[in-house]
Amino acid sequence: FLEDVNKFYNNSSDSSKPYVPNALGWERNKKLNNRLLPNQVNCGNTLNPEIIATDALYLNLKLMKWRLVQNLELDKIKNTRCLLLGSGTLGCNVARALVAWGINHIVMVDNKNVSFSNPARQSLYTYQDAIGGAQSKAKAAAIALRLINPSIDSKGVDLSIKMPGHLFEKCMFFFCRMMFFFVLKFIKNY
């Protein structure tokens, strides 16, 4: 082994001294005339916690595909965009399920702030979100989703949407109509 190394890497003028490499794991490189070169591996991605979390999530989905639904198209699911109107109990649970299924683009829409009663029922909020009453539910939910999976693109939008069937004053008609068209435009753009 050392004879081969000396033959290819002897840079010193004294050829009687054997060249000893300062690395282990040398391999012959077929592209470079069978020269002995150190084998290097970049472990940077495997040590990044965000990449580890994302890989773990997609490993679960790949196992599901392998065992249960062979024709599941994970790339389509990953690139699906979701707009959730409401960040309450149902919206929080739906958002968590979407993250578990590998959806990477989620927009949460709500007009309320986190109150002290919310963390007990709504899984994306904490006591810290309720302190002061100024934290928007949509924005707090988007932040919580990124804490669950740092690689997703989640946004929170503060927007008041009147529920169908609820009464509102005649002076609110123009405002409600404007919000309706804003939501339609938002849906088309997202």
Side-chain angles (χ1 to χ4, degrees):
F1 171 76
L2 285 179
E3 289 174 14
D4 287 339
V5 171
N6 281 332
K7 185 168 85 180
F8 292 111
Y9 292 100
N10 195 352
N11 295 332
S12 66
S13 57
D14 184 11
S15 60
S16 64
K17 265 185 161 178
Y19 173 79
V20 179
N22 59 2
L24 297 175
W26 293 67
E27 295 180 355
R28 294 198 182 276
N29 189 322
K30 305 278 188 230
K31 294 178 183 174
L32 297 174
N33 297 329
N34 252 357
R35 291 176 61 184
L36 288 172
L37 296 172
N39 189 9
Q40 298 176 349
V41 177
N42 180 2
C43 296
N45 287 342
T46 60
L47 300 175
N48 184 336
E50 289 182 13
I51 293 175
I52 293 170
T54 302
D55 287 348
L57 172 72
Y58 291 114
L59 177 63
N60 287 337
L61 294 171
K62 287 176 187 175
L63 288 172
M64 219 169 26
K65 177 180 178 174
W66 174 63
R67 296 286 289 169
L68 300 173
V69 187
Q70 284 79 23
N71 60 349
L72 187 64
E73 296 182 36
L74 295 177
D75 288 333
K76 278 188 178 179
I77 292 172
K78 183 179 180 179
N79 295 322
T80 299
R81 297 176 175 274
C82 291
L83 174 66
L84 291 177
L85 302 177
S87 301
T89 304
L90 183 60
C92 286
N93 290 326
V94 168
R96 284 190 73 108
L98 292 173
V99 170
W101 273 96
I103 304 254
N104 270 349
H105 307 282
I106 301 173
V107 174
M108 306 287 289
V109 176
D110 206 305
N111 70 328
K112 304 282 191 228
N113 291 336
V114 180
S115 68
F116 286 106
S117 67
N118 294 142
R121 296 174 285 112
Q122 299 164 1
S123 60
L124 294 178
Y125 308 120
T126 64
Y127 169 76
Q128 296 299 321
D129 296 328
I131 293 177
Q135 179 74 2
S136 160
K137 286 176 90 173
K139 292 179 181 172
I143 292 168
L145 291 175
R146 285 192 300 273
L147 290 174
I148 294 168
N149 182 3
S151 69
I152 70 169
D153 174 28
S154 62
K155 294 180 179 74
V157 176
D158 292 325
L159 182 64
S160 176
I161 302 171
K162 297 295 181 192
M163 293 181 67
H166 285 219
L167 296 176
F168 56 89
E169 299 163 9
K170 201 165 193 158
C171 64
M172 294 288 294
F173 180 76
F174 178 73
F175 175 76
C176 291
R177 185 180 166 107
M178 186 177 72
M179 286 297 113
F180 174 76
F181 286 116
F182 179 80
V183 169
L184 284 180
K185 183 179 175 184
F186 195 74
I187 290 170
K188 288 178 184 176
N189 290 339
Y190 196 74

